[in-house]
Amino acid sequence: MSEKSSSSGSDEDIDPESGQPVEFGGVLSKWTNYIHGWQDRWVVLKNNTLSYYKSEDEREYGCRGSLCLSKAVITPHEFDECRFDISVNDSVWYLRAEDPEHRQRWIESIEVHRVSIGIITCFVTEEDEDEFLTAARPDGENNNGSKEKLFSSANPKGTNGIDFKGEAITFKATTAGILSTLSHCIELMVKREDSWQKRLDRELEKRRRVEDAYKSALNELKKKSHYGGPDYEEGPNSLINEDEFYDAVEAELDRQDKIEEQCHSEKIRKPYLSPVPPGDAFSVIGTHRFANKPRSYSSSLSSVELVSASDEIHRFSAQVEEMVQNHMTYSLQDVGGDANWQLVIEEGDMKVYRREVEENGIVLDPLKATHNVKGVTGHEVCHYFWDTDFRMDWESTIENFNVVETLSDNAIIVYQTHKRVWPASQRDVLYLSAIRKVHATNENDPDTWLVCNFSVEHDKALPTNRCVRAKINVAMICQTLVSPPEGDREISRDNILCKITYVANVNPGGWAPASVLRAVAKREYPKFLKRFTTYVQEKTTGKTILF
């Protein structure tokens, strides 16, 4: 960077004839912006004004900017010895000289210009005042002269006199005209006041509607961004807080409930996918799919396939037996004396208990519900709970399902996906469902019907990235209580009562907040149990009792 100056910044820069500082110019680097950085510019100091040009050769095209130095603040940079800043109000120029000596020379020149212009201004002001006073005193009197002499030329009849009367008349006429015009304007404004007020009201109403529309559009935009943004859905790094998560889940559940009510009122039967043929033998695991094949088919199977099929039969049979025994042993135990069970819902004969359990931040709360339903048997309740022909009639949370494999007349493997409740991820579940009749060991005790659903694995329904695979262990346990009819009357539905115990152990997987899962479970389980038992009562009305 080079610098060329027309003069130095010393006292010799003052013009001896005019007493004003001469023009001072040279090349300085000026900060432009973050893109172009420092750029060389031709800077000129003249008449208390600092101007800059793109180059010395382009001065004839006019300056690119200028600063008046009267109120300028010059600040040498604290660390950069070649830089100094000039600020006037909000405008700041960042300048750099070739070296510290040139920077000092520029600063001194700017100060000389500022001081010199200030002195000249004061001198001119005092000189003008003296000339004015001299002109006001034609007789040469000083300030102590008499008033008569000082204002002797103020005589109205004199050469320089002022006609006060004429001026007063003119002023009066002018003000009268102004007042008349203003009065007329006021009259017009008063006449138009109602019109303007109505127009103002219309404008205010229009503005209010526009603001409401803007707020509504903004809210919709936020919702859409949530739906499309993975940061606002269930996940390990979700940005949505627990309150927002719960509000969104609750709103979606309410929406689904309204749709379900509408479908129910219109008596719309939802299609099911793969019905299972009904069977009568429920006491044990029935024959496996390979056992019913023709002999020619069995003989065509390799020994490895036959061993695999046999192993599969024993594996599923053992699993079902183990689940049934566990539920009969533990699920029917009274929860009254167990402090770990908390009563969370009590509505009439229905009671819902919960035991809070968490593992690695995932809610695994076991739920247990007891309910007494009049007019139906345990066999009927379990039949409608297990039979997939009726699944979509009463189950409102399922999006679709299909029977992956029929193991026997009373055991199937089912894959089902549940409706997504945003912002939670969609869940699916693969489970074995079996229905059993457990005979009472005491003749005074009623027989027990049981449906147990528990998660299994199957090659035809592997987990996918689309859904979070939930794990379940659910049991519907029913016992039928019969009150003797009066006289010789036959047993009617008025004499029967089904005692239901429903237990659910669910691992939802995923990253949904614990408080949200517990709140949803508290809300949905009682609704499910009431909806299902009401459905069974409606389906069995007028039909032969199935014990």
Side-chain angles (χ1 to χ4, degrees):
M1 177 183 66
S2 63
E3 181 175 328
K4 178 181 178 181
S5 302
S6 60
S7 62
S8 65
S10 64
D11 293 340
E12 295 179 356
D13 291 336
I14 304 298
D15 190 342
E17 295 183 0
S18 62
Q20 297 184 5
V22 297
E23 178 180 332
F24 183 84
V27 177
L28 290 176
S29 292
K30 183 178 182 297
W31 177 262
T32 55
N33 51 51
Y34 285 102
I35 298 176
H36 299 96
W38 295 95
Q39 296 290 330
D40 286 348
R41 296 290 183 259
W42 181 260
V43 183
V44 175
L45 178 59
K46 182 179 180 181
N47 295 333
N48 200 33
T49 301
L50 191 66
S51 307
Y52 78 91
Y53 306 81
K54 187 173 181 180
S55 65
E56 184 178 9
D57 296 335
E58 295 188 9
R59 291 187 60 178
E60 59 182 5
Y61 299 114
C63 69
R64 295 199 167 196
S66 62
L67 286 178
C68 180
L69 300 176
S70 300
K71 297 183 179 180
V73 177
I74 306 170
T75 307
H77 197 269
E78 184 178 0
F79 304 109
D80 191 344
E81 295 181 350
C82 298
R83 174 180 159 185
F84 63 100
D85 304 337
I86 301 177
S87 60
V88 178
N89 297 328
D90 295 334
S91 180
V92 182
W93 286 10
Y94 305 101
L95 303 171
R96 294 187 81 252
E98 184 178 9
D99 50 46
E101 289 76 13
H102 283 86
R103 181 186 77 168
Q104 187 61 31
R105 183 179 175 187
W106 271 99
I107 293 174
E108 291 175 355
S109 297
I110 292 172
E111 292 293 347
V112 168
H113 270 249
R114 295 178 59 188
V115 173
S116 300
I117 294 299
I119 294 174
I120 293 170
T121 302
C122 294
F123 176 76
V124 171
T125 302
E126 293 176 357
E127 186 178 272
D128 291 344
E129 290 178 354
D130 292 341
E131 290 179 356
F132 173 77
L133 292 175
T134 302
R137 295 194 300 271
D139 57 351
E141 286 289 332
N142 57 18
N143 291 339
N144 294 327
S146 63
K147 293 181 180 179
E148 291 78 2
K149 292 182 179 181
L150 180 62
F151 295 100
S152 60
S153 61
N155 190 348
K157 295 181 181 180
T159 305
N160 299 323
I162 299 175
D163 186 2
F164 287 103
K165 184 176 182 181
E167 294 291 337
I169 294 172
T170 303
F171 177 74
K172 183 177 181 181
T174 303
T175 54
I178 294 174
L179 291 175
S180 177
T181 303
L182 290 175
S183 298
H184 181 65
C185 291
I186 292 173
E187 291 177 1
L188 292 176
M189 292 175 65
V190 171
K191 290 179 181 179
R192 297 297 301 274
E193 182 177 4
D194 293 340
S195 176
W196 283 109
Q197 185 62 43
K198 292 179 181 179
R199 184 176 297 181
L200 176 62
D201 293 340
R202 288 196 298 269
E203 292 297 327
L204 291 175
E205 178 64 21
K206 187 184 297 183
R207 178 176 179 177
R208 185 189 63 79
R209 290 197 298 267
V210 171
E211 289 177 348
D212 292 343
Y214 169 76
K215 292 179 181 178
S216 177
L218 187 62
N219 291 334
E220 290 297 326
L221 182 62
K222 290 180 179 179
K223 291 180 181 179
K224 290 181 180 179
S225 65
H226 284 186
Y227 276 101
D231 293 335
Y232 293 92
E233 297 180 343
E234 177 187 354
N237 301 312
S238 177
L239 298 180
I240 189 170
N241 59 47
E242 289 193 16
D243 292 338
E244 294 172 337
F245 198 105
Y246 176 75
D247 291 342
V249 167
E250 188 176 39
E252 180 64 17
L253 290 174
D254 290 340
R255 187 185 70 84
Q256 293 183 8
D257 288 345
K258 289 181 181 179
I259 296 175
E260 182 66 23
E261 290 175 3
Q262 182 179 0
C263 293
H264 181 73
S265 63
E266 297 174 358
K267 297 183 179 180
I268 298 177
R269 171 70 184 269
K270 300 175 183 176
Y272 59 91
L273 297 181
S274 299
V276 179
D280 296 329
F282 296 111
S283 58
V284 295
I285 287 291
T287 55
H288 191 264
R289 63 191 185 283
F290 293 117
N292 293 329
K293 297 297 179 180
R295 180 172 299 178
S296 59
Y297 176 84
S298 300
S299 60
S300 65
L301 294 176
S302 66
S303 60
V304 175
E305 291 174 325
L306 290 174
V307 170
S308 176
S310 176
D311 292 342
E312 191 175 3
I313 293 173
H314 292 298
R315 179 169 62 89
F316 285 130
S317 298
Q319 283 182 314
V320 172
E321 289 299 327
E322 181 182 359
M323 290 295 176
V324 169
Q325 293 301 321
N326 286 339
H327 286 303
M328 293 299 297
T329 302
Y330 301 107
S331 299
L332 293 178
Q333 290 180 353
D334 187 15
V335 298
D338 191 345
N340 293 326
W341 288 99
Q342 302 175 10
L343 179 63
V344 293
I345 293 291
E346 183 174 7
E347 296 181 7
D349 292 330
M350 182 176 62
K351 296 180 180 180
V352 180
Y353 301 86
R354 178 179 68 201
R355 189 170 67 237
E356 293 189 358
V357 177
E358 287 190 29
E359 182 177 328
N360 298 325
I362 299 178
V363 175
L364 304 176
D365 295 353
L367 282 157
K368 185 173 185 178
T370 59
H371 193 24
N372 296 327
V373 183
K374 296 180 180 179
V376 296
T377 66
H379 188 179
E380 292 170 333
V381 172
C382 288
H383 169 68
Y384 285 105
F385 184 73
W386 179 82
D387 197 333
T388 54
D389 279 342
F390 310 101
R391 178 69 50 84
M392 299 301 287
D393 287 348
W394 55 267
E395 178 59 274
S396 62
T397 65
I398 294 178
E399 182 176 85
N400 56 64
F401 80 97
N402 68 290
V403 177
V404 177
E405 185 175 358
T406 301
L407 302 176
S408 67
D409 294 339
N410 51 31
I412 56 177
I413 295 178
V414 180
Y415 171 77
Q416 66 188 30
T417 58
H418 291 264
K419 296 175 182 177
R420 185 184 179 189
V421 182
W422 185 89
S425 301
Q426 189 173 21
R427 259 71 177 177
D428 65 356
V429 60
L430 178 68
Y431 61 93
L432 189 154
S433 180
I435 183 171
R436 294 285 302 275
K437 179 180 181 181
V438 181
H439 296 280
T441 56
N442 189 331
E443 62 179 6
N444 295 325
D445 294 336
D447 293 336
T448 301
W449 282 88
L450 176 146
V451 175
C452 58
N453 300 334
F454 56 91
S455 293
V456 293
E457 295 180 357
H458 200 284
D459 293 338
K460 294 182 180 179
L462 298 175
T464 65
N465 294 330
R466 189 175 65 88
C467 296
V468 175
R469 179 64 57 90
K471 302 293 184 180
I472 65 169
N473 183 6
V474 176
M476 177 75 75
I477 306 171
C478 302
Q479 293 175 328
T480 305
L481 304 180
V482 181
S483 59
E486 296 180 359
D488 295 332
R489 295 181 180 179
E490 294 183 356
I491 296 176
S492 67
R493 293 194 176 275
D494 294 332
N495 302 118
I496 59 178
L497 175 73
C498 181
K499 182 179 179 182
I500 298 175
T501 300
Y502 178 80
V503 293
N505 294 272
V506 179
N507 181 349
W511 302 271
S515 60
V516 176
L517 291 174
R518 289 192 172 106
V520 171
K522 183 178 178 180
R523 162 185 164 143
E524 293 300 312
Y525 274 103
K527 288 170 56 179
F528 146 73
L529 201 55
K530 287 190 292 185
R531 182 172 63 247
F532 171 68
T533 53
T534 301
Y535 169 79
V536 176
Q537 287 176 320
E538 293 175 352
K539 292 292 289 187
T540 55
T541 300
K543 294 183 179 181
T544 304
I545 300 175
L546 181 63
F547 286 99

